[in-house]
Amino acid sequence: MIPASAKAPHKQPHKQSISIGRGTRKRDEDSGTEVGEGTDEWAQSKATVRPPDQLELTDAELKEEFTRILTANNPHAPQNIVRYSFKEGTYKPIGFVNQLAVHYTQVGNLIPKDSDEGRRQHYRDELVAGSQESVKVISETGNLEEDEEPKELETEPGSQTDVPAAGAAEKVTEEELMTPKQPKERKLTNQFNFSERASQTYNNPVRDRECQTEPPPRTNFSATANQWEIYDAYVEELEKQEKTKEKEKAKTPVAKKSGKMAMRKLTSMESQTDDLIKLSQAAKIMERMVNQNTYDDIAQDFKYYDDAADEYRDQVGTLLPLWKFQNDKAKRLSITALCWNPKYRDLFAVGYGSYDFMKQSRGMLLLYSLKNPSFPEYMFSSNSGVMCLDNHVDHPYLVAVGHYDGNVAIYNLKKPHSQPSFRSSAKSGKHSDPVWQVKWQKDDMDQNLNFFSVSSDGRIVSWTLVKRKLVHIDVIKLKVEGSTTEVPEGLQLHPVGCGTAFDFHKEIDYMFLVGTEEGKIYKCSKSYSSQFLDTYDAHSMSVDTVSWNPYHTKVFMSCSSDWTVKIWDHTIKTPMFIYDLNSAVGDVAWAPYSSTVFAAVTTDGKAHIFDLAINKYEAICNQPVAAKKNRLTHVQFNLIHPIIIVGDDRGHIISLKLSPNLRKMPKEKKGQEVQKGPAVEIAKLDKLLNLVREVKIKT
């Protein structure tokens, strides 16, 4: 047992500690916090307060650990977004999903010190601070002056000599203090790097221009007027006025209205045609652009492609097919004529007809451009088949056409209507058989346009355009020499020669060649209408084409349905070169860039390119360019571009590009310039002809 005296002193300090704690609380409330405050409160035991909905867990449950992994992925971001793929044509899920979630954003207005705006604000603050300091200095100097005034009054009279100097010094100091020194203003450029510049334009000197027109011609006349003459003049004028009034009365109001309506219709039609012309021009440009995009690969080949294999084959070339031209309205018609425009190098004219006399129907004249292979630029139709055509050299908008019914016509591309501007008739001397070829010639002495035509009726006719009419003159009538038939009455009949082709000499205007169905070629002159200059037994079948060489004045070429192509010197009656192509030859053409290159097309669908300088025995290119069923009828070289166009009997025109071996130019030699020009081409062909002539002389 513990004595009472021992327990009492143990309880007493506890009470003291409580009283001390209460005292410290009062001191804290009165004087603020002190070091070591609240130590007794932390020493006391604290009871935990549980919320009413807290679960009561056992010690095992409390000791159990739960692991949670925190990731940067947004739990609300969708994981199944799909988008359409135009490349594969299906919907595909997106692999990457944006996991960023923005909880708080704030737009700040802090400006870097080194920026232009920061420098500008700093400079503005310096100006404000400097102005405030100057105001303070002025106020302090004012107070000092007030304090010094009574002291100056107390000065002695003997010191009056020093007063002016002191006053002047005070004035200087006052002026310096009154005008505070402002810092020099520094020009700052703005954030757009603006630079201010000024310039004064040059005023052009004023010039006065004066001109004096020629005075109008003057004539002096005089006459005497009597009273009866004046009276007669007045009477005539009154009669005219009465007649006009009667005519107006005769017109009914309905007629007047109809006349007004007709005038309105005419004006509206004119405005509509103007609008349509503008629209058609824009549509034509758009059509060309669309076609250029559609046939872009062909256009690239036409401009840049060259067969690289030509470097490894010396004497062989190829033809690269380019555009193919055809029209639905010209189906089942044959290509009967081809001709490039002499001015617009991408434009060429095509004649449609039929060589089968049992299937004669209609004809068409189309003009295509390489810029738009899908549709022709111009289209003209005729009741009879077009057998030949030719473009005028000086007037490229004029096209002369020969028809199967014997008529000739001139089409003007400037006029929109589809009918020819000029056309022959039975009264004006048209041919009685098909016109196989037409050629423009130089204007006559009166500057009238004229062209020639040849037909199966044996007539070669010169057509001249005089006063908007076609006037004909028979130049020559072909006759078969050495064959006459006797009539029972004792008369002799000369059979007529059927002309099929002709060509005029490039330098000698009066000389021309004529090919006939009998296989003969006649050298004729415009001056002699009854006699031939020379006759060549050229072929065993009809002569299809006769063509002078564009460089050499003595050389011409002919082709025939007897499968042969022959090259002639018009001073020699035997051919210089003969080529057998194993099929009927439809057409031949000289190349414009070389005197030794020419092309030929045959009815088995092949195109043949010859270069006599490389190989004078056979073609350097034999290539089928159409199906075997399609017979090739015509071929033409472009005047500038290295391409040819070929037509067949199904109405198709195919453009082909010549490979580098087919258009070889003379090679450059070290230290020597390459010689070009007509003289070089003439010498090149003369060299070949001399070799042939020497062989013929020896034999």
Side-chain angles (χ1 to χ4, degrees):
M1 294 294 290
I2 299 170
S5 61
K7 290 180 181 177
H10 179 71
K11 290 180 181 179
Q12 202 169 0
H14 181 67
K15 291 179 182 178
Q16 289 175 358
S17 66
I18 294 168
S19 62
I20 290 166
R22 289 175 182 171
T24 54
R25 285 181 187 173
K26 287 181 181 180
R27 268 183 280 152
D28 292 339
E29 290 174 2
D30 296 338
S31 62
T33 59
E34 291 182 1
V35 177
E37 68 176 2
T39 55
D40 295 338
E41 291 181 1
W42 287 104
Q44 294 178 4
S45 61
K46 293 183 179 180
T48 57
V49 180
R50 292 184 178 181
D53 57 347
Q54 183 176 350
L55 296 175
E56 293 183 1
L57 302 176
T58 61
D59 293 339
E61 289 175 345
L62 289 172
K63 289 179 181 179
E64 186 179 357
E65 292 183 357
F66 294 92
T67 58
R68 286 188 179 182
I69 300 171
L70 299 178
T71 62
N73 294 335
N74 185 5
H76 302 290
Q79 302 295 329
N80 56 352
I81 296 176
V82 293
R83 288 185 181 173
Y84 187 76
S85 173
F86 289 94
K87 184 178 180 181
E88 300 181 5
T90 58
Y91 286 93
K92 285 202 156 191
I94 295 175
F96 175 76
V97 180
N98 189 10
Q99 304 291 340
L100 180 66
V102 181
H103 297 288
Y104 177 75
T105 57
Q106 183 179 2
V107 180
N109 56 357
L110 297 178
I111 300 170
K113 290 183 177 180
D114 297 335
S115 64
D116 294 338
E117 187 65 26
R119 293 195 194 97
R120 198 177 292 109
Q121 287 189 8
H122 182 67
Y123 175 69
R124 199 182 297 116
D125 294 340
E126 286 181 353
L127 287 178
V128 172
S131 61
Q132 290 177 356
E133 289 177 0
S134 62
V135 170
K136 287 180 181 178
V137 169
I138 292 167
S139 60
E140 289 175 359
T141 51
N143 295 330
L144 291 170
E145 287 174 358
E146 290 176 357
D147 296 338
E148 290 175 357
E149 281 178 0
K151 293 180 180 179
E152 290 175 358
L153 295 171
E154 294 175 358
T155 54
E156 295 178 357
S159 62
Q160 289 180 359
T161 56
D162 299 328
V163 171
E170 287 174 359
K171 285 181 182 179
V172 171
T173 54
E174 284 179 4
E175 289 178 358
E176 290 178 354
L177 293 172
M178 287 298 291
T179 58
K181 292 182 179 180
Q182 294 183 358
K184 292 183 179 180
E185 185 177 357
R186 184 175 59 181
K187 190 175 182 180
L188 295 175
T189 57
N190 62 3
Q191 59 182 346
F192 302 105
N193 294 329
F194 174 77
S195 59
E196 186 179 357
R197 295 175 183 173
S199 62
Q200 187 173 4
T201 58
Y202 176 74
N203 295 325
N204 294 320
V206 181
R207 296 179 181 177
D208 296 333
R209 292 185 179 179
E210 299 177 356
C211 61
Q212 185 175 1
T213 58
E214 295 181 359
R218 298 180 180 179
T219 55
N220 297 324
F221 63 93
S222 60
T224 57
N226 298 326
Q227 290 183 355
W228 56 83
E229 290 179 355
I230 297 171
Y231 177 77
D232 291 340
Y234 273 104
V235 169
E236 287 180 2
E237 184 64 26
L238 288 171
E239 288 178 356
K240 287 181 181 179
Q241 291 178 0
E242 288 176 359
K243 286 181 180 179
T244 54
K245 287 180 181 179
E246 288 177 358
K247 287 181 180 179
E248 289 179 357
K249 287 180 181 178
K251 285 185 178 180
T252 59
V254 178
K256 289 181 181 179
K257 287 182 180 179
S258 63
K260 289 180 181 178
M261 289 295 290
M263 289 296 293
R264 287 177 184 173
K265 284 182 179 179
L266 282 172
T267 53
S268 64
M269 287 292 289
E270 287 176 357
S271 62
Q272 286 178 2
T273 52
D274 293 340
D275 296 338
L276 287 173
I277 289 168
K278 293 178 182 177
L279 181 63
S280 65
Q281 291 175 352
K284 187 177 287 187
I285 294 169
M286 285 296 297
E287 185 182 15
R288 287 187 176 183
M289 292 171 67
V290 170
N291 277 290
Q292 189 174 2
N293 292 334
T294 305
Y295 302 102
D296 181 60
D297 52 347
I298 298 177
Q300 295 292 332
D301 291 343
F302 163 73
K303 192 72 176 175
Y304 303 108
Y305 179 78
D306 282 330
D307 194 354
D310 278 13
E311 296 179 2
Y312 307 102
R313 51 193 182 202
D314 294 334
Q315 298 184 356
V316 181
T318 57
L319 295 171
L320 176 68
L322 297 176
W323 298 281
K324 188 176 182 179
F325 303 86
Q326 58 184 355
N327 191 268
D328 294 336
K329 293 183 179 180
K331 278 185 176 180
R332 299 179 182 177
L333 292 176
S334 300
I335 304 295
T336 55
L338 290 173
C339 183
W340 287 98
N341 194 287
K343 183 177 180 182
Y344 304 100
R345 307 301 189 184
D346 62 315
L347 189 70
F348 62 92
V350 186
Y352 288 88
S354 177
Y355 288 116
D356 190 353
F357 72 96
M358 295 292 291
K359 296 180 181 179
Q360 290 298 322
S361 57
R362 58 190 177 87
M364 294 191 74
L365 170 63
L366 303 182
L367 282 91
Y368 283 99
S369 173
L370 299 178
K371 298 175 182 176
N372 184 9
S374 62
F375 199 78
E377 300 290 319
Y378 300 94
M379 184 182 296
F380 303 95
S381 58
S382 61
N383 296 326
S384 180
V386 176
M387 306 310 294
C388 55
L389 58 89
D390 190 31
N391 277 100
H392 199 285
V393 178
D394 298 326
H395 307 285
Y397 54 87
L398 294 178
V399 183
V401 174
H403 292 281
Y404 190 84
D405 60 359
N407 281 316
V408 294
I410 298 175
Y411 287 88
N412 190 347
L413 303 181
K414 288 185 175 180
K415 295 183 178 179
H417 54 76
S418 60
Q419 296 300 321
S421 301
F422 308 99
R423 185 182 176 87
S424 64
S425 62
K427 293 181 180 179
S428 60
K430 79 178 188 69
H431 292 279
S432 58
D433 276 355
V435 181
W436 294 112
Q437 199 163 0
V438 291
K439 284 279 186 183
W440 285 102
Q441 292 297 299
K442 294 181 180 178
D443 299 347
D444 61 3
M445 300 295 289
D446 297 328
Q447 301 299 318
N448 294 322
L449 301 174
N450 71 324
F451 64 93
F452 280 65
S453 64
V454 62
S455 172
S456 302
D457 61 0
R459 295 167 57 209
I460 296 173
V461 182
S462 172
W463 301 89
T464 308
L465 189 62
V466 181
K467 295 181 180 179
R468 302 186 65 80
K469 288 184 180 180
L470 282 175
V471 179
H472 79 286
I473 299 172
D474 289 350
V475 177
I476 195 169
K477 290 184 179 180
L478 301 176
K479 296 177 183 179
V480 180
E481 292 183 345
S483 60
T484 57
T485 56
E486 293 186 0
V487 182
E489 297 178 358
L491 298 174
Q492 290 184 349
L493 296 178
H494 294 276
V496 177
C498 300
T500 55
F502 70 150
D503 193 20
F504 288 84
H505 200 276
K506 301 296 185 287
E507 294 182 359
I508 306 171
D509 294 335
Y510 62 84
M511 186 189 297
F512 62 95
L513 299 168
V514 182
T516 61
E517 285 185 3
E518 293 79 22
K520 292 186 177 182
I521 297 175
Y522 300 112
K523 184 166 66 173
C524 307
S525 173
K526 296 178 184 178
S527 305
Y528 302 101
S529 60
S530 60
Q531 193 174 1
F532 305 130
L533 298 179
D534 212 341
T535 305
Y536 307 91
D537 292 328
H539 298 276
S540 58
M541 293 182 70
S542 174
V543 179
D544 293 327
T545 306
V546 176
S547 178
W548 287 99
N549 190 285
Y551 293 98
H552 205 291
T553 57
K554 292 183 179 181
V555 179
F556 69 91
M557 177 172 54
S558 65
C559 72
S560 172
S561 301
D562 63 356
W563 299 8
T564 60
V565 175
K566 296 182 180 181
I567 297 175
W568 305 76
D569 184 342
H570 78 88
T571 60
I572 302 172
K573 288 196 174 184
T574 56
M576 310 302 287
F577 297 97
I578 302 174
Y579 300 100
D580 191 344
L581 303 183
N582 298 324
S583 185
V585 184
D587 192 13
V588 289
W590 290 103
Y593 56 84
S594 176
S595 62
T596 58
V597 178
F598 64 92
V601 291
T602 52
T603 54
D604 59 353
K606 287 185 178 181
H608 307 263
I609 308 295
F610 291 82
D611 191 347
L612 303 178
I614 296 174
N615 190 342
K616 54 182 177 290
Y617 301 108
E618 59 183 1
I620 60 175
C621 177
N622 293 319
Q623 185 172 327
V625 296
K628 286 188 176 181
K629 294 181 180 179
N630 297 1
R631 297 183 175 184
L632 300 182
T633 56
H634 285 278
V635 62
Q636 282 292 324
F637 279 88
N638 190 281
L639 300 177
I640 291 179
H641 306 295
I643 63 170
I644 60 172
I645 50 174
V646 175
D648 60 13
D649 62 346
R650 301 295 179 92
H652 301 153
I653 305 106
I654 305 159
S655 58
L656 304 159
K657 184 175 183 180
L658 304 171
S659 66
N661 279 356
L662 301 181
R663 43 190 167 94
K664 272 190 174 178
M665 303 305 290
K667 295 181 180 179
E668 295 183 2
K669 295 181 181 179
K670 292 183 179 179
Q672 295 181 1
E673 293 184 359
V674 178
Q675 294 181 351
K676 296 180 181 179
V680 178
E681 297 297 331
I682 292 168
K684 185 167 64 172
L685 189 53
D686 261 333
K687 185 178 179 181
L688 293 169
L689 294 177
N690 290 332
L691 292 173
V692 178
R693 286 169 188 155
E694 289 175 2
V695 173
K696 288 193 174 184
I697 291 168
K698 288 178 182 178
T699 55

